[in-house]
Amino acid sequence: LSGANTYTNSTTISTNGTLAVSNMADSPGTSVIGYGPVILKGGTLAYTGTGDTTARAITVAAGNNSGINVPGSVTLTVNGVFTGTSPGTILNKTGTGTLVLGTTGTAASSYFGMNITGGTVILNKNSQAIGFATTVNSGCELQLKSYGGQIYSGSTAPITVNSGGVFDLNGQTNTLYSLSLSGAGISGSGALINSAVNTTSTLTCPITLGAATTIGGSTSLGNITLPSMISGVGMSLTYA
């Protein structure tokens, strides 16, 4: 879709469908998907524009078949609420661009998690943003911003950072249910970092090493405090 559409109800993208959208702004007469919420029922919203901010809500069906694609060098900010569906939703973030879960709106559903297979996801809400299992894959980054308590600390929300992925605490403090770390991050930058200079981030949760792991590194400009147990039989830990 590329024209300015004015319908006011929801836009639903069903199983195996991909809807390419060039504009998601909320201003009257500018958005190609009208003014209503977006419902992902196993389909993918492929953003093709140059950068937008939207306050619309996005509801994602249960399972792990729905996705959002953001192209390289582009930032899409969603200030509305991402809502998952019982018993659990994992949204696939693809494309090398940046998806920001913005500051306004109430807390996300406890059923909402992510599988980040491309680019960066920035959590910039003032309340809960993630409430279900979330995985950061090789070449990808999950970053906290502005508020530490954005990831639910219950058993439905373990965080996994696979080899080549990065979890950036960015000066924030959080308590998680669990964290699994592997590898040395992107280009050896560290799988767990604090990129905020002259700050200390405290992360309280049991950490399991899934492979030889580096914490800190060339992009970790602040300090990290880890008060809980770190385990991983036969695994090595490097603090750089």
Side-chain angles (χ1 to χ4, degrees), residues 77-161:
T77 300
V78 179
N79 284 334
V81 178
F82 275 93
T83 301
T85 304
S86 178
T89 290
I90 296 178
L91 177 71
N92 296 298
K93 159 61 175 74
T94 59
T96 57
T98 298
L99 176 66
V100 179
L101 278 61
T103 55
T104 59
T106 55
S109 166
S110 59
Y111 301 117
F112 179 76
M114 301 189 77
N115 180 36
I116 307 170
T117 63
T120 299
V121 172
I122 298 175
L123 306 183
N124 191 29
K125 299 190 76 64
N126 52 18
S127 56
Q128 182 178 302
I130 296 291
F132 200 68
T134 294
T135 300
V136 186
N137 292 290
S138 179
C140 304
E141 180 174 345
L142 176 65
Q143 183 188 83
L144 299 178
K145 190 174 182 179
S146 77
Y147 174 67
Q150 296 185 73
I151 301 175
Y152 178 53
S153 60
S155 61
T156 60
I159 304 298
T160 300
V161 180

